[in-house]
Amino acid sequence: MPASTRTSTDERPGGPRPGPVAWVLLLPIKLYRKAISPFLPPACRFYPSCSTYAVEALTRFGAGRGSYLALRRLLRCGPWTPPGRDPVPETFSWRYRRPETPIEE
């Protein structure tokens, strides 16, 4: 196949694909979203929700870094943190940088 017709994982219509370990870590999140979440009232302090954030972080950064980002997000989810937009960062960093997007757009 010529190099000009190949696509990278980021250019696929569905976006990047998770690795095998990340795929296994996504299973409990998918189970939660299908079986538990529909029976609970929406109460997430952030946008996107924590489960959506975890899926995107695991898919984009893999099992290790994605799990770290998802856990860091869950630890921020409490009354001590102001609510608002908190998207998955474009580039991975071990330090948290508050997003520069306003709450109201």
Side-chain angles (χ1 to χ4, degrees):
M1 180 181 257
S4 62
T5 58
R6 282 190 232 149
T7 59
S8 71
T9 55
D10 293 334
E11 295 172 356
R12 288 187 184 148
R17 293 180 59 187
V21 177
W23 187 83
V24 170
L25 293 173
L26 287 170
L27 290 176
I29 297 170
K30 290 179 181 183
L31 176 68
Y32 165 78
R33 293 172 96 181
K34 294 276 186 184
I36 299 170
S37 182
F39 299 106
L40 300 174
C44 193
R45 302 174 53 80
F46 297 111
Y47 176 82
S49 68
C50 291
S51 62
T52 304
Y53 185 96
V55 167
E56 188 176 343
L58 286 167
T59 302
R60 188 183 301 174
F61 294 110
R65 292 177 177 179
S67 295
Y68 171 76
L69 290 172
L71 179 64
R72 191 173 71 183
R73 167 72 178 269
L74 287 173
L75 292 174
R76 281 196 314 270
C77 192
W80 54 85
T81 306
R85 288 183 49 90
D86 186 22
V88 177
E90 293 296 322
T91 58
F92 179 81
S93 173
W94 291 104
R95 298 182 69 201
Y96 174 68
R97 284 178 263 144
R98 188 155 179 90
E100 309 219 352
T101 57
I103 293 175
E104 301 164 0
E105 290 186 5

